Amino acid sequence: MEVLLLICIGLVVYTYLGYGLVVWALIKLRPKRQPVADLSADYTPDVTLIVPAYNELDCLQAKVENSLGQVYPRERIHFLFVTEGSTDGSDEWLRTTYGDAINILGGTERRGKVAAMNMAMQQIKTPIVIFTDANTQLNLDAVRNIVRHFRDPEVGAVAGEKRIQTTDSESAAGSGEGLYWKYESQLKRWDAELHTIVGAAGELFAVRTELYEPVSPNTILDDFMISLLIAGNGYRVAYEPDAYALERPSFSIIDEQKRKIRIAAGGFQSIVWLKKLLNPFRYGVLTFEYVSHRVMRWAVTPLCLPLILLLNLGLVLRDGWNSDWGWLLAAQLLFYGASWLGYLLEKRQLRWKAVFVPFYFTFMNVCALAGLVRYLRGNQSGTWEKVRRANAVNSLT
């Protein structure tokens, strides 16, 4: 039991701390990568901004104005809003309000986001396409900053940065989500510097149109699959933190729980569909990054955490509370106690930031286990699922 416990602890520590340290060390030890292209030079190819917008009428005006306000040559940027299946009047409102300023792909049948994206890509004539969600706001230099990476012919896709817009009075879920994405952003910087990032966030990412591979309409994490397929074909997925999408946290812990479980189910689906990337002899550094950053986060750590608790309990029952295992179990119980307190306070809308780190860490891993159950039961599809978000605060200008 001791050996198995230590192995599980080591896997968890490696996943959340060790991997980042290893990547940072590898970057410091190897010669600095010489850029293939001058990213500071002006580069403005034709580009299409695709905005999937299922029943997003309440945020469409802000999104359109934000899109039209991008600092990019107006004659070189095109806009395609995909309102397919919407029943809230989005289609008619966009056509009436903006006319020929934007293009609209509508329709009454709700096929799902992925099917709509695949259909939209058939209309694209520009060499680069950028995907962004309707409920996000981009910084006004986002398009210019993200597009410049395509001067490098080795770059097949570029991921922007997702930022969570929170206030001091936000819920634990919102605060925890913001901290998590700050941590994720740093890992993505290191991943990109070492080789490639492993998975783009759907809030903002771009691809070379010619490299886009249609994915199954039942794909849950379309952004992840599309970017990893490009990486698997030998191209790098670059990262641009100065192109960011600002998004509000989920409206409630229940909404966030639904979103996390769906993402986790999509993670297990992706692992199965992308099993070829688990071959280090073929994919090398990509496999190392993919397994360490994604597979272990989704499929290993969530299983290790309850096992650590059970093994620790067994050792304490065998050796007593006065053993070293007693201190470890006490620390675990204190951590999960703080997590439970954070959950109870959040349900009562009583917010205490001191417990949001253990709360959000535990919350993510519990949702991952629930996502595994959902995936094994086959209870997932690519149909759009609208998640309620907290009311917007000050928009980007």
Side-chain angles (χ1 to χ4, degrees):
M1 282 196 298
E2 294 94 332
V3 173
L4 183 55
L5 174 60
L6 292 174
I7 289 174
C8 289
I9 292 174
L11 290 173
V12 173
V13 172
Y14 173 76
T15 300
Y16 284 99
L17 294 176
Y19 171 64
L21 293 174
V22 170
V23 173
W24 175 81
L26 290 174
I27 292 171
K28 293 298 182 181
L29 291 173
R30 75 169 194 183
K32 188 174 180 61
R33 182 198 297 272
Q34 295 300 317
V36 177
D38 181 9
L39 298 185
S40 64
D42 195 34
Y43 180 63
T44 55
D46 286 349
V47 61
T48 299
L49 194 72
I50 294 183
V51 184
Y54 171 71
N55 282 350
E56 296 281 11
L57 183 59
D58 57 341
C59 59
L60 277 183
Q61 181 175 0
K63 185 63 180 181
V64 176
E65 296 300 329
N66 177 248
S67 300
L68 294 174
Q70 287 293 308
V71 181
Y72 201 80
R74 185 62 185 85
E75 68 278 6
R76 293 190 176 278
I77 185 169
H78 311 271
F79 308 96
L80 178 59
F81 281 72
V82 185
T83 61
E84 178 258 5
S86 293
T87 58
D88 62 352
S90 300
D91 204 52
E92 181 180 355
W93 184 84
L94 285 172
R95 296 182 192 279
T96 301
T97 307
Y98 293 99
D100 295 334
I102 61 174
N103 296 312
I104 302 164
L105 180 60
T108 58
E109 183 180 355
R110 186 186 180 192
R111 300 180 180 88
K113 178 182 178 181
V114 181
M117 288 171 60
N118 288 338
M119 186 168 54
M121 287 300 294
Q122 297 176 13
Q123 302 187 11
I124 301 302
K125 297 181 175 59
T126 60
I128 296 169
V129 61
I130 301 175
F131 297 99
T132 177
D133 287 346
N135 62 350
T136 64
Q137 292 282 288
L138 309 182
N139 61 305
L140 298 185
D141 287 320
V143 170
R144 182 182 294 274
N145 289 339
I146 208 169
V147 163
R148 62 181 181 168
H149 288 270
F150 289 104
R151 288 181 61 91
D152 185 344
E154 295 180 358
V155 171
V158 184
E161 181 171 296
K162 174 181 175 178
R163 298 183 183 179
I164 302 299
Q165 188 181 27
T166 59
T167 65
D168 290 340
S169 60
E170 291 293 358
S171 67
S175 301
E177 189 179 4
L179 181 66
Y180 171 76
W181 278 107
K182 289 177 183 178
Y183 171 67
E184 268 295 293
S185 296
Q186 184 57 60
L187 283 183
K188 285 182 177 181
R189 287 185 178 93
W190 288 337
D191 281 343
E193 192 171 348
L194 180 66
H195 179 54
T196 180
I197 71 165
V198 281
E203 287 76 11
L204 179 60
F205 76 104
V207 302
R208 293 189 189 274
T209 304
E210 62 181 354
L211 299 181
Y212 179 87
E213 292 185 39
V215 293
S216 168
N218 289 326
T219 303
I220 300 175
L221 302 183
D222 51 276
D223 44 7
F224 184 80
M225 284 291 299
I226 292 168
S227 57
L228 260 292
L229 286 172
I230 290 174
N233 286 331
Y235 293 89
R236 290 194 305 109
V237 181
Y239 181 59
E240 179 48 74
D242 287 330
Y244 58 87
L246 199 59
E247 183 178 67
R248 294 288 288 140
S250 299
F251 180 77
S252 70
I253 191 62
I254 300 301
D255 289 278
E256 180 66 2
Q257 180 178 327
K258 291 178 181 178
R259 191 178 75 89
K260 287 292 186 186
I261 291 175
R262 187 170 191 271
I263 290 174
F268 286 103
Q269 180 193 68
S270 300
I271 291 171
V272 173
W273 288 2
L274 294 170
K275 55 183 178 294
K276 66 178 183 179
L277 298 183
L278 301 177
N279 183 357
F281 300 103
R282 180 177 179 183
Y283 295 100
V285 179
L286 174 59
T287 297
F288 163 68
E289 292 184 322
Y290 173 56
V291 170
S292 298
H293 195 164
R294 297 300 182 184
V295 176
M296 294 191 67
R297 184 83 62 86
W298 283 333
V300 177
T301 296
L303 297 174
C304 284
L305 290 172
L307 190 56
I308 289 171
L309 186 60
L310 292 174
L311 289 170
N312 196 176
L313 179 60
L315 289 170
V316 168
L317 292 175
R318 187 192 71 182
D319 298 341
W321 278 97
N322 292 328
S323 65
D324 291 338
W325 308 116
W327 289 103
L328 178 59
L329 182 58
Q332 287 197 77
L333 294 176
L334 180 62
F335 182 86
Y336 290 121
S339 302
W340 182 247
L341 176 60
Y343 178 70
L344 293 177
L345 291 175
E346 177 62 23
K347 288 184 67 176
R348 290 164 175 76
Q349 296 187 340
L350 299 173
R351 287 105 191 213
W352 186 22
K353 281 193 173 183
V355 296
F356 80 72
V357 172
F359 161 71
Y360 200 72
F361 176 84
T362 306
F363 175 71
M364 285 193 305
N365 284 283
V366 169
C367 288
L369 293 174
L372 173 59
V373 173
R374 176 174 173 171
Y375 172 72
L376 293 176
R377 289 179 176 175
N379 297 333
Q380 67 275 328
S381 72
T383 303
W384 299 13
E385 292 187 18
K386 186 176 174 64
V387 175
R388 294 185 301 166
R389 293 283 176 180
N391 293 330
V393 294
N394 293 332
S395 300
L396 288 173
T397 58

